[in-house]
Amino acid sequence: MSNDALSNLSSETRSFVPSAEFVAGANVSGEWYERAGVDREGFWAEQAGRLSWERGWDRVLDWSGAPVARWFVGGSLNVAYNCVDRHVEAGFADQVAIHWVGEPGDRRDLTYGQLRVEVCRAANALVSLGVGSGDRVAIQLPMIPEAIVAMLACARIGALHSVVFGGFSPAALRSRVDDAAAKVVITSDGQYRRGKAAPMKANVDEALAGAESVETVLVVRRTGDEVSWVQGRDVWWHEVVEAQSDSHTAEAFDAEHPLFILYTSGTTGKPKGILHTSGGYLTQAAYTHHAVFDHRAGEDVYWCTADIGWVTGHTYIVYGPLANRATQVVYEGTPNTPHEGRHWEIIAEHKVSIYYTAPTLIRTFMKWGADIPARYDLSSLRVLGSVGEPINPEAWMWYREHIGGERCPVVDTWWQTETGAIMISPLPGVTAAKPGSAQRALPGISAKVVDDQGVEVPPGGGGYLVLDEPWPAMLRGIWGDEQRFRDTYWSRFAEQGFYFAGDGAKYDDDGDIWLLGRVDDVMNISGHRISTTEVESALVSHPDVAEAAVVGATDPTTGQGIVAFVILRGTATDHGTDTATTLRNHVATEIGPIAKPRQILVVPELPKTRSGKIMRRLLRDIAENREPGDVTTLADTTVMDHITTGLNKNT
Ligand code: WTA
């Protein structure tokens, strides 16, 4: 984050208390902090009571195998039963679970009763394809009801899903399929994006050529476009799933039975398969959805705009809301198709009362203009949420005023793929909310801002964000790489036993937490985590590139933008924009369009320390149009002059 942004934050003093009416009716009161503080495990046991357990636990937490926690030891439950069947059994078969809105305007409502039938059939289909407990199923699907059904069907039979975002390239899908040795891949013929049908299965076919673990590809028909077919491997969802019986007995699994793997970028080129388990994860998903959004089953209409390819889609579209018997909107498409008021139109039509989105989208809405939401009736809204990156105070204020009509509490929720569920956030009926601050760890959660030595900083101080107590939805490891799990999260403050989140943070004078962005080599582009190393390896895999260094530069809309500095090989010539376009497309092919650099700068040299480490700080100065800072630790202090003169010549 730039110095300007930091000083803006420190001068931010506005705060907004919830209305007396909101406070009076809220799910959670301030007393919860004290209760959880006095007896953390007792508090979590109470939250686990939101779920239906086949067998109760003997012990709430076993931390003796730290850093691998076991929560609700000895308990067993079925996650899909908790998200679907129990609501049907309680008499809510006819309540809508999902108001699905397709991008081209088609729609489908699924009640809990219908969802149960779909999930049972899909579970039976997976079993018929030889999938059993502990097997891995990769899912690359657009935002269609089958995506949610497929995830729940896996959960129901104890198979792990590994959802891969639809925008990832064949190469990225393949590495994830191989890493988890997925037996089945579920995809669709195509998907609608920005008003057009785009192929999906073709990418999957390319990804899976020669993939040894994959026995079956299950294909959902969405766009109706022609697809090629691998006999003996490919089957249609509508043939295999719809032929199944709609009854399936959900077997209970151990609370620590793995639920899913979700890959996320780390500081090396290889994505990490974050592993989550069942009982603790679902407990925290349900509790946070209830507390942070003040959700009321049967009354609220909830909408989280994330994609199921990210953790927000897992926890706040699938598991949390469905465990809490929410009625929710699921929208397939882009926010400006066919027009820039699409979200507001959907909110008005479905009377959405809780809306959860990302700062990058809020800033995009700001750019499109406040007159657009002003044309729609947004009076049904009562809680607004934000997630994915620090929200700047201007965007927060705009969100509160133009979307929330100055009456809806705004909750800025901090968490990660690894934490599984929300960790730090205001509570809408308790907190005097400050624009741009996630404020305080939720009841039951503990977080601190510490210095280099792991010592908590005083009010007003800044440092690293750590989590100093285990929490139910915490990751249980990195798939197939225990050492990396320990090194990445637990070695930085090993002595204290803190989980190192990788984020910088500060306390204000009241002790509230303000997140300041990543402190490692992970970039945050529109709320998507991409590592600098991942993009660098994609660039150097191009025959024209000798060396590459990538930085995240502040971007007014996407939070950060990717800026790449490349040195071309002696044999390659710089064709200006052509070279840049070629390399940008190459990155899209290697990783996916979300990782395309905003800018590619061809340079003669890169700034390195005497030990050969690239000084990204100096490159960031260039990318953000500042005079490069202190160069004294460079091996060759004239390098920066060579780089900047070269760039000035080009422009
Ligand atoms: C960032 C997304 C500031 C942070 C749920 C974190 C945030 C990373 C916030 C995790 C927030 C997420 N304020 N920063 N409210 N929410 N982040 O794994 O840097 O995709 O480490 O999980 O996003 O991204 P991930």
Side-chain angles (χ1 to χ4, degrees):
M1 190 173 264
S2 72
N3 292 335
D4 279 359
L6 270 183
S7 53
N8 279 349
L9 278 187
S10 52
S11 62
E12 179 56 61
T13 53
R14 291 169 286 199
S15 88
F16 299 90
V17 291
S19 70
E21 192 193 341
F22 197 105
V23 173
N27 283 348
V28 174
S29 70
E31 182 264 329
W32 287 44
Y33 290 106
E34 282 103 72
R35 195 149 48 90
V38 171
D39 177 9
R40 183 187 307 276
E41 290 185 19
F43 176 82
W44 282 115
E46 204 182 292
Q47 301 314 318
R50 299 177 181 283
L51 308 179
S52 161
W53 296 77
E54 165 84 14
R55 185 185 183 281
W57 54 90
D58 307 313
R59 221 174 135 183
V60 174
L61 169 65
D62 176 4
W63 190 226
S64 63
V68 183
R70 293 171 69 217
W71 281 86
F72 308 111
V73 185
S76 66
L77 79 174
N78 185 288
V79 168
Y81 172 84
N82 270 280
C83 291
V84 186
D85 305 52
R86 67 171 174 142
H87 307 316
V88 175
E89 289 169 12
F92 298 102
D94 295 333
Q95 182 187 320
V96 172
I98 297 168
H99 288 296
W100 179 75
V101 182
E103 196 188 78
D106 47 344
R107 51 188 58 215
R108 224 176 122 190
D109 282 351
L110 266 112
T111 63
Y112 275 96
Q114 290 164 331
L115 187 60
R116 194 197 61 78
V117 168
E118 300 277 334
V119 173
C120 286
R121 285 185 182 149
N124 284 324
L126 289 176
V127 171
S128 79
L129 296 171
V131 180
S133 165
D135 285 341
R136 276 81 57 206
V137 174
I139 299 175
Q140 190 173 45
L141 280 172
M143 288 297 290
I144 53 179
E146 287 80 359
I148 296 169
V149 170
M151 290 165 75
L152 291 168
C154 289
R156 194 171 183 99
I157 63 171
L160 289 74
H161 53 71
S162 161
V163 181
V164 180
F165 177 59
F168 274 123
S169 68
L173 171 63
R174 175 61 178 272
S175 71
R176 285 156 175 78
V177 164
D178 283 350
D179 187 69
K183 201 168 187 177
V184 169
V185 178
I186 307 180
T187 188
S188 64
D189 50 358
Q191 63 173 331
Y192 290 103
R193 265 344 252 173
R194 297 175 214 289
K196 288 197 296 274
M200 193 141 205
K201 182 170 187 290
N203 296 339
V204 173
D205 287 339
E206 188 186 332
L208 297 186
E212 280 176 11
S213 63
V214 179
E215 294 169 9
T216 309
V217 177
L218 189 53
V219 189
V220 178
R221 188 141 71 196
R222 172 62 186 128
T223 55
D225 287 358
E226 283 279 315
V227 287
S228 58
W229 210 249
V230 177
Q231 287 304 330
R233 186 197 71 177
D234 299 350
V235 289
W236 283 110
W237 174 283
H238 60 263
E239 286 174 3
V240 176
V241 175
E242 279 159 32
Q244 301 291 328
S245 151
D246 60 10
S247 77
H248 176 273
T249 310
E251 183 194 334
F253 295 97
D254 189 88
E256 285 300 335
H257 188 81
L259 181 61
F260 65 83
I261 306 171
L262 183 59
Y263 287 84
T264 187
S265 291
T267 50
T268 71
K270 190 174 178 285
K272 307 175 281 200
I274 303 300
L275 177 69
H276 283 288
T277 61
S278 305
Y281 170 80
L282 195 64
T283 295
Q284 196 177 329
Y287 154 64
T288 50
H289 177 258
H290 173 83
V292 175
F293 301 112
D294 195 47
H295 175 261
R296 269 165 245 159
E299 292 173 33
D300 278 308
V301 178
Y302 166 86
W303 183 14
C304 166
T305 68
D307 187 283
I308 47 135
W310 311 112
V311 74
T312 307
H314 283 59
T315 310
Y316 297 104
I317 293 177
V318 182
Y319 294 110
L322 295 177
N324 288 343
R325 190 169 48 84
T327 292
Q328 67 178 319
V329 166
V330 173
Y331 173 53
E332 179 186 35
T334 34
N336 51 349
T337 308
H339 58 79
E340 292 168 349
R342 189 74 193 264
H343 277 210
W344 322 126
E345 181 179 78
I346 293 173
I347 289 175
E349 182 183 340
H350 289 285
K351 305 220 173 335
V352 171
S353 53
I354 304 170
Y355 178 73
Y356 189 29
T357 195
T360 182
L361 194 55
I362 298 168
R363 290 190 295 264
T364 304
F365 291 142
M366 287 171 77
K367 226 166 42 185
W368 292 344
D371 55 313
I372 297 174
R375 287 181 215 137
Y376 298 87
D377 176 8
L378 304 181
S379 61
S380 56
L381 288 170
R382 59 179 205 92
V383 179
L384 300 177
S386 169
V387 61
E389 52 172 317
I391 179 165
N392 47 311
E394 300 69 39
W396 195 101
M397 290 299 293
W398 189 92
Y399 195 28
R400 181 185 141 83
E401 181 181 343
H402 296 286
I403 309 305
E406 291 182 346
R407 88 192 158 267
C408 304
V410 175
V411 288
D412 173 14
T413 63
W414 179 90
W415 59 296
Q416 309 178 297
T417 306
E418 292 87 341
T419 69
I422 299 173
M423 302 291 283
I424 305 176
S425 168
L427 286 173
V430 178
T431 314
K434 300 175 181 176
S437 173
Q439 295 189 285
R440 189 170 172 191
L442 291 178
I445 300 295
S446 185
K448 283 190 166 61
V449 181
V450 301
D451 65 15
D452 248 339
Q453 309 302 315
V455 178
E456 186 169 20
V457 301
Y464 304 104
L465 182 73
V466 298
L467 303 168
D468 57 326
E469 295 283 352
W471 64 100
M474 69 196 296
L475 77 166
R476 301 301 197 265
I478 293 177
W479 183 257
D481 201 343
E482 197 194 317
Q483 196 52 47
R484 192 174 177 198
F485 168 60
R486 291 173 185 271
D487 293 347
T488 310
Y489 307 106
W490 304 96
S491 66
R492 181 72 180 73
F493 297 106
E495 208 178 298
Q496 299 85 347
F498 294 162
Y499 168 92
F500 173 53
D503 280 44
K506 60 165 242 178
Y507 288 130
D508 63 18
D509 293 336
D510 304 327
D512 280 324
I513 298 173
W514 298 68
L515 275 311
L516 302 175
R518 302 287 304 192
V519 293
D520 53 13
D521 293 334
V522 174
M523 299 174 287
N524 190 326
I525 317 298
S526 298
H528 300 152
R529 275 165 71 168
I530 298 166
S531 85
T532 51
T533 335
E534 224 174 334
V535 181
E536 285 164 3
S537 7
L539 284 166
V540 295
S541 74
H542 191 279
D544 285 352
V545 177
E547 234 187 308
V550 164
V551 296
T554 306
D555 185 285
T557 306
T558 58
Q560 286 189 312
I562 303 177
V563 179
F565 295 80
V566 298
I567 303 180
L568 296 181
R569 281 180 198 264
T571 49
T573 20
D574 179 6
H575 296 292
T577 48
D578 282 356
T579 302
T581 309
T582 309
L583 295 180
R584 291 177 77 237
N585 291 339
H586 180 69
V587 174
T589 315
E590 288 295 306
I591 307 173
I594 51 167
K596 262 190 188 181
R598 181 185 79 184
Q599 221 178 338
I600 292 197
L601 303 169
V602 175
V603 292
E605 284 166 88
L606 289 170
K608 288 184 186 163
T609 61
R610 271 172 286 270
S611 61
K613 197 169 163 359
I614 292 174
M615 290 191 69
R616 287 213 171 70
R617 171 171 64 77
L618 296 175
L619 293 175
R620 212 171 293 124
D621 287 338
I622 297 183
E624 293 175 351
N625 298 315
R626 274 190 307 272
E627 270 303 303
D630 183 12
V631 297
T632 49
T633 54
L634 285 178
D636 172 2
T637 50
T638 62
V639 160
M640 292 312 288
D641 297 334
H642 297 166
I643 296 177
T644 42
T645 340
L647 292 177
N648 292 339
K649 223 169 42 210
N650 284 349
T651 48

